[in-house]
Amino acid sequence: MIKIYHNPRCSKSRQGVAILENSKKEFEIVKYLENIPSEKELTDIINLLGISPIQLVRKNEKIWKENYKGKELSDSEIISAMIENPKLIERPIVINDNKAVVGRPPESILEII
């Protein structure tokens, strides 16, 4: 089953949901600001994406700039920061079996569905 980690307030995330709706495939929406991923879940997502944790961080968020920018953080500290402040997680993230993509641009979702 396809899964999208979605923030309804984000236009790119809404575009990602629209792409999945148009695909006519079944998918699950995870509103990750309400249902914050666990450390294991977020680590698994990062591994599926094939990126380092820092690459999933929204570095322009005020929370990042005020609390983390310029600090030497380990991968686990970065993951903890995203769990404590889920707004820091880049979105949307779409997972289809063992493939995942950050939907920026949203059309990149088409590569895995």
Side-chain angles (χ1 to χ4, degrees):
M1 161 98 63
I2 298 169
K3 185 184 287 191
I4 182 168
Y5 288 82
H6 174 57
N7 177 350
R9 297 187 66 186
C10 172
S11 63
K12 300 285 187 217
S13 200
R14 291 192 304 271
Q15 289 173 22
V17 169
I19 287 169
L20 291 174
E21 288 172 344
N22 290 335
S23 78
K24 305 288 189 231
K25 297 184 181 197
E26 275 190 53
F27 66 96
E28 173 188 356
I29 294 176
V30 177
K31 293 182 181 176
Y32 69 91
L33 294 178
E34 298 167 16
N35 299 306
I36 301 167
S38 68
E39 182 178 346
K40 181 190 181 322
E41 186 179 2
L42 191 55
T43 301
D44 289 347
I45 291 167
I46 290 165
N47 289 335
L48 274 177
L49 289 167
I51 61 174
S52 64
I54 193 67
Q55 292 175 281
L56 195 59
V57 172
R58 295 176 54 83
K59 295 170 204 75
N60 287 327
E61 288 289 335
K62 184 178 179 183
I63 296 165
W64 182 261
K65 289 178 180 179
E66 292 179 354
N67 299 298
Y68 304 103
K69 186 178 179 182
K71 294 184 179 177
E72 291 275 335
L73 300 171
S74 68
D75 285 353
S76 64
E77 288 171 325
I78 293 167
I79 290 169
S80 293
M82 287 189 279
I83 292 167
E84 290 167 24
N85 306 284
K87 277 184 163 183
L88 293 176
I89 301 171
E90 190 61 80
R91 71 242 179 186
I93 301 168
V94 177
I95 299 173
N96 187 5
D97 292 323
N98 62 347
K99 297 175 279 184
V101 69
V102 175
R104 290 191 170 264
E107 296 76 24
S108 62
I109 295 168
L110 296 169
E111 298 168 16
I112 67 164
I113 60 171

